Amino acid sequence: MRSEAAASREDARRSAGDLDKRCIDTIRTLAMDAVEKANSGHAGTPMGLAPVAYTLWQQFLRYDPADPRWPNRDRFVLSAGHASMLLYALLHLAGVRRVTDGRVTDTVAVSLNDIKNFRQLDSVTPGHPEYGHTTGVETTTGPLGQGCGNSVGMAIASRWLAARYNRTNATVFDFDVYTICSDGDMMEGVASEAASLAGHLQLSNLCWIYDSNTVTIEGHTDLAMSEDVAARFKAYRWNVLRLQDANDTTGFARAVEIFRGTKDRPTLIIVDSIIGYGAPHKQNTAAAHSDALGKDEVRLAKRFYGWPEDAQFLVPDGVYESFRDGIGRRGRALRDAWTRTFADYKNADPQAAREVELLLQGRLPEQWDRELPTFPADAKGLATRESSGKVLDAIAKTVPWLIGGAGDLAPSTKTAFPGAESLEADDPGGRVMHFGVREHAMGAIVNGLVLCKLRAFGATFLTFSDYMRPAIRLAALMQIPVFHVFTHDSIGLGEDGPTHQPIEQLLALRAIPNIVVLRPADANEVREAYKIVMALTDRPACLVFSRQKLPTFDRSRYAAAEGLARGAYVMAGAKARKPEVILIASGSEVQLCITAYEQLAQEGIAAWVVSMPSWELFEQQDNDYREEILPPSVSARVAVEAGSVIGWDRYAGPGGTIVGMHRFGGSAPGTGLMQKFGFVPERVVQAAKDKIAKHQSVESLRKHSR
């Protein structure tokens, strides 16, 4: 009897092993077939790493395919976004439900037909995973290293949420974050910056799975990379494990168990894999990286797997059921348990539960803006970075899940909430983050925080937004309400010189689709700018502030700052009277236009001053409003901004002029630089008069020609 029982157990083990292999090979062959049909894409990593991904999803990932929005789900980030078919195959086989208009539907997120339409127009299986486009994709990846940075933000968010909302008898948040990264991710600086901060913060809920297949597009990594990655991550204070064969699912499972038992640091699992595993002529070569294998090679690879060679997009019997009984059943049980926990939590602490619900819904507390200051008129005024700090502090008092910090520049950017705790390894619930001098990582980490529903921001000097542009662009692509505080916005910052004085950065930010860039003119416009930013739900924003003091305008003489909400408004000048000239500016240059306006008025010249803090908001307005602010009949216009002139011609018009920067700045006090480069009221006045005279001359010629 004993031998029969042992034989039965051995048969069951072999049967389970056969089914696991069938599931793994299904992932591999779906990837191969999709790439082959599209004649485009990357099958090599899914072929090599399928055993690892399968084991993670089936045995460990706390994720319910029936509810991919479950707040406490583990996050799975494919930083190696070129291997998108690995994720699409997993989403399909696990039966992840599609979310539409915020609701979970009965439709699968990725169908077999979707996989057949890989990389095709309007499909949910684009070349690289896109958040919000394909359910189950936790973040948009593709630019290497960004997903790694996002995952650090997600891990920070999990610990922050746990610190604020968990109770002794109720764990509401404790999700882990798993990231598959590639050799390319290891080379990108953003991943290194993020890894350094993750080690400092002891993010024990973060696991990077490094697919070390040693092949990139140009060839083997020894062309450009020879460091000891394991030693580097140990120096970052990570726990480093190594799996010498990606097919060793038992060994990988042991590594994940070690990660889950490690409580004082993040974990890197280095997995030695073979790119294009099973393709006899192309495995372990660059040919398996970014090209279809070719029909003959696909047939040979399938023969190696023991797969029907002519079958395409085959999902054999038992595969769907295996995923249903694995991640499906386990995930449903975990979610049900969490739902019961949260129901009890609501009864025990309804206020905290309400906070959690608002946070997850992307909403703000009622009367969140009740503490916002109103700034009295003041000729000396404040630097807008100073008024920004005061407004941020007021918001922090009413929005508990507002967190953020600077790239080692909080004293300069004024972004540390007074009295708030720093977020550190021993205080994961702090609200003031210290990113260190790591702007690349800061942008990516903030994206990860916001993807977990926190309202998070980063801060640095405007010129260093160049370091953050990839992350800002991805935030815009993902349509998430990240915001960043950029100070020292022009040559007016002074002595630090042209290396720190932004010229083209405003233009570069404005060029990104689906973003709002705001450059307020005074303290009250700053307040209104934050009201706009906090209300955003579907795009990021950049707030741009001055280092130098700017007057706080007397709003009893000039239009209310609420006009900022429409992107541009007539701040000075009687709307009932057609102006002879329109002066247009943003930020610190509005004061020049106001001074010029007053001088022109003394000379009997009718002018308007248009404060234009946001091109994007202005362009959203209807045509009637835009023409009300910039009447087409008034061709005499002067646009003034201490930055690149490109783009201002849209508002200055063919008959206008632009006072801007055509070169880099210099190292000197800001007032001297402003005078040197012509940002003085006298130049604005003269430009206005020149345009009026030219316009009158043109009109006179027209009359005589009649």
Side-chain angles (χ1 to χ4, degrees):
M1 289 291 292
R2 223 176 273 155
S3 60
E4 288 180 9
S8 177
R9 287 195 296 273
E10 179 62 19
D11 289 343
R13 187 187 66 78
R14 287 178 179 172
S15 177
D18 291 344
L19 181 55
D20 287 338
K21 183 179 185 304
R22 198 183 317 156
C23 292
I24 291 166
D25 291 342
T26 301
I27 296 169
R28 288 167 162 156
T29 56
L30 285 176
M32 288 193 300
D33 289 342
V35 171
E36 195 65 29
K37 184 174 185 292
N39 195 31
S40 173
H42 179 107
T45 291
M47 293 166 70
L49 211 61
V52 165
Y54 170 76
T55 303
L56 177 65
W57 277 57
Q58 279 289 71
Q59 294 186 31
F60 297 101
L61 198 70
R62 295 180 296 174
Y63 185 93
D64 182 9
D67 186 2
R69 303 177 310 161
W70 172 36
N72 201 36
R73 68 190 181 278
D74 285 346
R75 270 43 171 197
F76 176 79
V77 175
L78 185 66
S79 192
H82 51 275
S84 58
M85 266 310 305
L86 177 65
L87 178 54
Y88 298 149
L90 289 165
L91 293 173
H92 171 67
L93 297 175
V96 173
R97 300 290 99 180
R98 182 172 297 183
V99 175
T100 303
D101 297 328
R103 293 185 307 102
V104 179
T105 70
D106 292 331
T107 306
V108 292
V110 177
S111 68
L112 202 56
N113 280 334
D114 292 326
I115 288 176
K116 292 177 182 179
N117 285 320
F118 178 56
R119 287 188 168 222
Q120 303 308 299
L121 185 64
D122 296 328
S123 75
V124 298
T125 50
H128 293 83
E130 296 180 26
Y131 172 81
H133 183 73
T134 308
T135 302
V137 173
E138 300 285 5
T139 181
T140 297
T141 56
L144 291 174
Q146 288 290 326
C148 291
N150 297 162
S151 71
V152 172
M154 293 173 179
I156 293 169
S158 177
R159 285 160 55 93
W160 190 93
L161 291 164
R164 179 163 182 87
Y165 296 114
N166 287 359
R167 303 292 183 262
T168 303
N169 58 348
T171 298
V172 181
F173 294 104
D174 66 345
F175 59 85
D176 292 328
V177 183
Y178 297 92
T179 306
I180 287 182
C181 44
S182 63
D183 293 301
D185 288 288
M186 292 296 107
M187 295 184 201
E188 286 285 3
V190 61
S192 299
E193 288 182 17
S196 174
L197 185 59
H200 171 74
L201 293 176
Q202 300 177 24
L203 299 180
S204 59
N205 59 343
L206 177 65
C207 179
W208 287 5
I209 301 162
Y210 167 28
D211 175 33
S212 178
N213 61 48
T214 71
V215 173
T216 58
I217 291 175
E218 291 186 358
H220 281 273
T221 52
D222 57 12
L223 289 169
M225 183 182 183
S226 54
E227 80 251 22
D228 185 337
V229 173
R232 174 155 64 96
F233 273 74
K234 287 176 182 176
Y236 290 148
R237 301 173 66 189
W238 284 55
N239 179 35
V240 179
L241 308 171
R242 185 149 211 148
L243 184 70
Q244 294 184 332
D245 181 3
N247 293 300
D248 180 6
T249 56
T250 302
F252 177 72
R254 282 197 299 267
V256 176
E257 292 288 7
I258 293 171
F259 154 66
R260 293 174 72 170
T262 300
K263 302 303 180 185
D264 64 346
R265 62 194 61 210
T267 294
L268 177 72
I269 304 174
I270 302 175
V271 178
D272 295 327
S273 72
I274 298 174
I275 193 170
Y277 175 77
H281 304 106
K282 295 188 176 181
Q283 67 176 15
N284 200 34
T285 71
H289 192 285
S290 54
D291 299 306
L293 295 174
K295 292 181 179 179
D296 292 341
E297 193 75 358
V298 167
R299 288 173 62 89
L300 291 172
K302 289 179 178 177
R303 182 185 301 174
F304 175 82
Y305 300 147
W307 205 258
E309 295 178 25
D310 295 323
Q312 291 188 337
F313 301 102
L314 172 65
V315 180
D317 292 344
V319 172
Y320 290 126
E321 293 79 6
S322 178
F323 276 87
R324 181 196 64 203
D325 294 338
I327 187 172
R329 181 173 295 172
R330 187 183 69 256
R332 178 60 183 267
L334 288 165
R335 178 173 65 89
D336 286 347
W338 183 90
T339 301
R340 291 191 296 271
T341 296
F342 192 68
D344 293 340
Y345 182 86
K346 286 177 72 172
N347 290 329
D349 195 340
Q351 182 175 344
R354 180 59 179 158
E355 268 194 29
V356 171
E357 290 172 339
L358 286 172
L359 179 153
L360 294 174
Q361 293 164 8
R363 296 168 56 194
L364 296 170
E366 291 184 11
Q367 297 183 325
W368 69 269
D369 55 353
R370 65 182 181 273
E371 299 280 346
L372 295 185
T374 298
F375 298 90
D378 182 355
K380 292 183 178 179
L382 294 168
T384 49
R385 63 169 177 165
E386 295 276 1
S387 47
S388 165
K390 294 178 185 297
V391 175
L392 261 180
D393 184 39
I395 298 171
K397 293 174 182 176
T398 59
V399 183
W401 51 92
L402 175 70
I403 73 169
D408 194 49
L409 288 171
S412 296
T413 58
K414 311 301 179 184
T415 46
F417 314 140
E421 297 294 327
S422 293
L423 190 153
E424 283 291 349
D426 58 357
D427 189 0
R431 298 177 67 189
V432 177
M433 296 194 64
H434 301 281
F435 291 100
V437 188
R438 302 185 182 97
E439 290 92 350
H440 298 74
M442 178 170 68
I445 289 168
V446 169
N447 284 353
L449 292 166
V450 173
L451 285 164
C452 294
K453 304 300 184 180
L454 300 183
R455 289 310 304 263
F457 66 88
T460 186
F461 294 168
L462 178 57
T463 191
F464 301 141
S465 64
D466 288 344
Y467 286 143
M468 300 171 62
R469 186 175 168 83
I472 295 171
R473 183 177 187 272
L474 286 172
L477 183 59
M478 290 190 280
Q479 301 180 22
I480 57 175
V482 166
F483 72 92
H484 294 290
V485 174
F486 294 124
T487 66
H488 296 59
D489 67 346
S490 73
I491 58 170
L493 69 87
E495 294 87 344
D496 277 342
T499 61
H500 283 50
Q501 292 165 4
I503 302 298
E504 74 283 8
Q505 280 72 21
L506 268 171
L507 171 66
L509 292 172
R510 289 166 174 159
I512 301 173
N514 194 49
I515 196 170
V516 175
V517 181
L518 287 150
R519 188 175 183 239
D522 76 344
N524 287 307
E525 279 198 8
V526 170
R527 180 194 65 234
E528 297 304 315
Y530 273 104
K531 288 167 70 173
I532 293 295
V533 167
M534 293 302 294
L536 293 175
T537 59
D538 61 353
R539 51 186 162 161
C542 296
L543 292 152
V544 181
F545 300 127
S546 72
R547 176 180 184 260
Q548 72 274 28
K549 289 184 177 182
L550 303 180
T552 304
F553 297 110
D554 182 351
R555 296 294 172 164
S556 67
R557 293 186 60 195
Y558 305 115
E562 285 84 350
L564 172 140
R566 304 190 78 170
Y569 64 104
V570 177
M571 183 175 166
K575 284 192 178 181
R577 182 182 177 188
K578 181 181 176 181
E580 297 174 65
V581 64
I582 301 175
L583 312 178
I584 316 164
S586 76
S588 53
E589 288 69 68
V590 171
Q591 66 170 317
L592 303 180
C593 292
I594 288 290
T595 303
Y597 161 83
E598 300 290 1
Q599 292 181 16
L600 291 168
Q602 289 176 6
E603 298 180 36
I605 298 173
W608 282 2
V609 175
V610 171
S611 176
M612 186 176 279
S614 174
W615 292 4
E616 300 80 18
L617 293 179
F618 184 62
E619 291 301 323
Q620 285 180 11
Q621 308 308 311
D622 59 42
N623 189 63
D624 288 346
Y625 180 79
R626 295 200 304 272
E627 290 193 353
E628 177 188 332
I629 302 305
L630 298 175
S633 60
V634 182
S635 61
R637 302 179 187 177
V638 181
V640 189
E641 187 173 73
S644 172
V645 300
I646 298 173
W648 274 108
D649 54 329
R650 182 190 316 180
Y651 305 113
T657 193
I658 305 166
V659 179
M661 291 293 293
H662 299 269
R663 50 156 286 186
F664 295 115
S667 181
T671 52
L673 289 171
M674 285 296 197
Q675 290 175 353
K676 174 182 173 63
F677 290 103
F679 294 99
V680 291
E682 294 77 16
R683 184 180 179 191
V684 178
V685 168
Q686 190 58 53
K689 289 180 177 179
D690 289 346
K691 286 300 155 186
I692 292 170
K694 184 175 181 180
H695 176 67
Q696 290 173 341
S697 176
V698 169
E699 285 298 307
S700 177
L701 285 172
R702 284 177 181 167
K703 288 178 182 178
H704 283 92
S705 67
R706 293 188 194 131

